[in-house]
């Protein structure tokens, strides 16, 4: 799908007055929110919860205004805000009473969001210090209820009824506890307790999830928005076209890499499939790849991107805060599992492309000048790595210095291009300034839908903690496992996939971290380290995006690829199959997560097992199609390499390499299947 060129200043002003006014307000709110975040990262002038309150008010108001623009006002999408109407005249009330009601609700939501933030800010000292001792006022309770309703509605509008229903169910559960049986029973709460715990006590809505989201998560999404404004997506697209000229697998591998990198930033497998997939899936299909495989490749890559450090779909920051460990430890723990998954997807795609003969001639040349177009990204990425790994700054501070490095780097690149093209310096300066402010706007607009769900998830977690549901679920899972680790892990896998269905990355991780992870860490029978347990449930929550019956990433990709949903799910499970095994492997070989002297051996044997799983699920070893007897042999080898005693692991890893070497030299007989489906 061809992307629209950004609108010029004159074209932006050539709009109906209502649309122009609304866009101007959105622009002002968005730029303020990004600059407010950057300034806070530099000064830390308030405690985090106070900063988060203002961010929540402006962020939710911005989200409602963007919804109003996109659903009822906008007529063009050149600045990244996509219109849904095709009308030629701008009128807010031309579509009947329901549309008019929605307009009123959106405007009211924006006003209420700002009013709530103002109330909490004005009464902040009292709510933080005096109210827990002397009590809350009736107005406080009403404000708490209003905050909970507001963020739940914002969540519904951004992510649908299912996720909003989880929030509503959490609140309802707080009331209904005395009437529920068995593990669900608790003594119950009245409405004042729900309002206090859910919001106005500066917990719930204003809890640690919102605090992390509005600081560490926001600064990186805003960096991503600015990078996109400076041409990051265009660079990825151009690189994809060039690599297609020199790789037999063509553009497919580049699409995998690009989707995983961008997926790490977006925080939603479905959203990433929709954005990057809108141009990668057509390019993959143009190479001759069948529709269901094109959908599956993009869906799996976008889902895998959520596991990729340093951002991990913004879950890395939440994980560090929940576990109370340095952020860098989470990045280290996530590195090798992500590389294993990354490698498995790349290997599966490579084998599939050759198996079905979807290769390209690869007789062209790679235009190295394309790399120079992205040279200015090297400096901010270097700053990011240096501040996180060497200086061990917090993610918020590292994100600040990364943005500070990005702007002059991009400006220098523009000036060099202008010098080569004989452009006027004044014109370049004006264009760069407009682009920079567009980037400030884009980062905040990308962050705005996430604000509501982070706040509403705080409600869910608070209700789970206050009612003791998490502890009871953990106890019941341990009882069902009967002291057998494999059974416990299978129960945790199934539960994580169930709770993760349809949710964006932060939401899915928060839910499984509260309800499932404790079962893996509280048992005296098993010795699973907390970081390993959280990585385990996190992986399966992410894989729910390609798991039927919901498989939200596949559903989005299937619409773009025009493929059958269930057939696409089948291929996605085939390509992503190693991802369902890797979490079990790093529990059995936890040197992959917690680095130690055993890490190199653990990584080697799990890598060998991953290769064996890929060959078995694809049914191709690089030389010939494999029948089920050969596939089963590879699965046995995978099991031995990943889960056997160390000598068995090393032996089967060696056997795998020998088997593949013999197969690709034609010395190993294979059972060739007659059908390639």
């Amino acid at each position: 799908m061809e992307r629209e060129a950004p609108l010029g200043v004159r074209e932006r002003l050539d709009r109906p007055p209502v649309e122009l006014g609304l866009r101007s307000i959105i622009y002002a709110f968005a730029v303020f929110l990004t600059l407010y975040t950057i300034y806070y990262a530099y000064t830390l002038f308030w405690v985090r919860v106070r900063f988060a309150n203002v961010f929540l008010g402006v962020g939710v108001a911005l989200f409602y205004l963007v919804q109003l623009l996109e659903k009822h006002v906008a007529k063009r999408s050149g600045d990244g805000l996509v219109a849904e109407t095709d009308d030629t005249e701008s009128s807010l009330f031309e579509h009947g009473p329901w549309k008019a009601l929605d307009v009123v609700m959106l405007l009211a939501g924006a006003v209420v969001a700002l009013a709530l933030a103002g109330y909490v800010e004005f009464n902040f000292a009292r709510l933080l210090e005096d109210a827990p001792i002397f009590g809350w006022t009736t107005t406080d309770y009403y404000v708490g209820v209003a905050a909970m309703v507001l963020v739940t509605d914002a969540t519904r509008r951004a992510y649908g009824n299912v996720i909003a229903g989880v929030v509503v169910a959490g609140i309802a559960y707080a009331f209904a506890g005395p009437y529920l049986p068995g593990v669900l029973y608790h003594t119950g709460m009245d409405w004042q307790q729900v309002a206090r715990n859910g919001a106005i006590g500066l917990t719930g809505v204003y809890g640690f999830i919102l605090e992390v989201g509005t600081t560490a998560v926001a600064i990186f999404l805003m960096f991503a928005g600015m990078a996109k404004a400076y041409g990051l997506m265009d660079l990825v697209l151009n690189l994809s076209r060039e690599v297609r000229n020199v790789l037999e697998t063509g553009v497919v591998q580049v699409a995998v890499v690009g989707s995983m990198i961008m997926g790490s930033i977006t925080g939603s497998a479905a959203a990433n499939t929709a954005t990057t997939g809108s141009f990668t899936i057509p390019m993959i299909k143009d190479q001759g790849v069948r529709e269901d495989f094109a959908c599956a490749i993009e869906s799996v890559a976008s889902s895998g991107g959520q596991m990729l450090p340093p951002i991990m779909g913004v879950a890395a920051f939440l994980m560090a805060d929940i576990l109370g460990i340095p952020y860098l430890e989470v990045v280290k723990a996530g590195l090798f599992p992500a590389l294993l998954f990354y490698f498995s997807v790349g290997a599966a795609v490579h084998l599939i492309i050759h198996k079905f003969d979807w290769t390209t001639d690869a007789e062209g040349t790679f235009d190295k000048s394309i790399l120079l177009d992205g040279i200015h990204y090297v400096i901010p990425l270097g700053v990011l790595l240096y501040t996180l790994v060497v200086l061990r700054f917090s993610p918020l501070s590292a994100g600040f210095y990364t943005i500070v490095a990005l702007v002059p780097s991009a400006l220098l690149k523009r000036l060099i291009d202008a010098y080569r093209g004989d452009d006027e310096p004044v014109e370049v300066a004006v264009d760069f300034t407009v682009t920079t402010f567009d980037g400030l706007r884009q980062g905040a607009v990308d962050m705005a839908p996430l604000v509501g769900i982070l706040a509403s998830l705080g409600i869910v977690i608070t209700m789970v903690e206050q009612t003791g549901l998490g502890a009871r679920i953990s106890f019941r899972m341990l009882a069902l496992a009967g002291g057998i680790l494999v059974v416990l892990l299978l129960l945790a896998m199934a539960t994580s996939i169930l709770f993760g269905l349809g949710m964006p990355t932060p939401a899915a991780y928060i839910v499984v971290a509260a309800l499932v992870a404790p079962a893996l860490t509280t048992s005296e029978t098993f010795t699973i380290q907390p970081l390993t347990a959280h990585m385990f449930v996190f992986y399966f929550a992410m894989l729910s995006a390609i798991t039927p019956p919901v498989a939200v990433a596949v559903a989005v990709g299937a619409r773009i690829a025009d493929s059958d949903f269930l057939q696409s799910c089948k291929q996605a499970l085939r390509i992503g199959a190693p991802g369902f095994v890797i979490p079990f492997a790093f529990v059995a070989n936890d040197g992959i997560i917690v680095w130690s002297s055993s890490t190199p051996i653990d990584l080697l044997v799990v890598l060998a097992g991953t290769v064996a799983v890929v060959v078995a699920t694809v049914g191709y070893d690089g030389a010939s199609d494999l029948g089920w007897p050969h596939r089963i042999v590879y699965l046995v080898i995978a099991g031995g390499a990943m889960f056997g005693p160390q000598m068995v692991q090393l032996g089967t890893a060696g056997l795998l390499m020998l088997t593949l070497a013999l197969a690709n030299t034609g010395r190993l007989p294979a059972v060739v299947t007659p059908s390639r489906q």
Side-chain angles (χ1 to χ4, degrees), residues 62 159 221-222 224-225 228 266 441-450:
L62 174 63
Y159 295 102
L221 286 182
M222 289 165 177
K228 286 190 286 186
T266 58
R441 178 196 60 82
Q442 188 61 50
V445 169
D446 289 344
M447 178 66 197
L450 200 58

Side-chain angles (χ1 to χ4, degrees), residues 30-93:
V31 170
F32 166 79
L33 193 61
T34 301
L35 292 177
Y36 172 65
T37 305
I38 293 173
Y39 182 67
Y40 180 75
Y42 177 64
T43 62
L44 300 177
F45 56 89
W46 277 339
V47 294
R48 199 164 62 166
V49 65
R50 190 171 185 178
F51 165 81
N53 167 60
V54 176
F55 193 107
L56 174 67
V58 179
V60 172
L62 174 63
F63 169 72
Y64 276 111
L65 293 175
V66 171
Q67 287 278 295
L68 178 61
L69 176 67
E70 293 183 344
K71 294 175 67 176
H72 303 292
V73 178
K75 298 296 181 286
R76 59 182 71 179
S77 58
D79 64 351
L81 297 175
V82 180
E84 293 186 0
T85 64
D86 297 319
D87 304 323
T88 57
E89 299 295 332
S90 178
S91 175
L92 294 179
F93 300 98

Side-chain angles (χ1 to χ4, degrees), residues 190-272:
D190 58 30
W191 78 272
Q192 290 97 337
Q193 288 176 303
V194 171
R196 183 174 68 249
N197 293 322
I200 203 61
L202 300 183
T203 56
V205 167
Y206 301 99
F208 81 94
I209 300 176
L210 182 67
E211 293 177 11
V212 174
T214 55
T215 52
V217 173
I219 198 76
F220 279 94
L221 286 182
M222 289 165 177
F223 164 73
M226 297 185 69
K228 286 190 286 186
Y230 290 141
L232 178 60
M233 294 298 290
D234 292 329
L235 175 65
V236 172
L237 185 59
N238 291 333
L239 284 173
S240 300
R241 293 192 179 112
E242 291 302 318
V243 172
R244 182 175 183 173
N245 295 329
V246 296
L247 286 183
E248 284 190 348
T249 51
V251 73
V252 182
Q253 292 287 13
V254 180
V256 170
V257 174
S259 296
M260 293 189 79
I261 292 173
M262 295 305 298
S264 178
I265 299 172
T266 58
S268 170
N272 193 68

Side-chain angles (χ1 to χ4, degrees), residues 18 66-68 112 128 183 202 228 403 428 538 574 578 608 620:
V18 172
V66 171
Q67 287 278 295
L68 178 61
V112 169
L128 181 66
V183 69
L202 300 183
K228 286 190 286 186
I403 291 176
V428 172
F538 169 66
R574 174 187 290 188
Y620 186 71

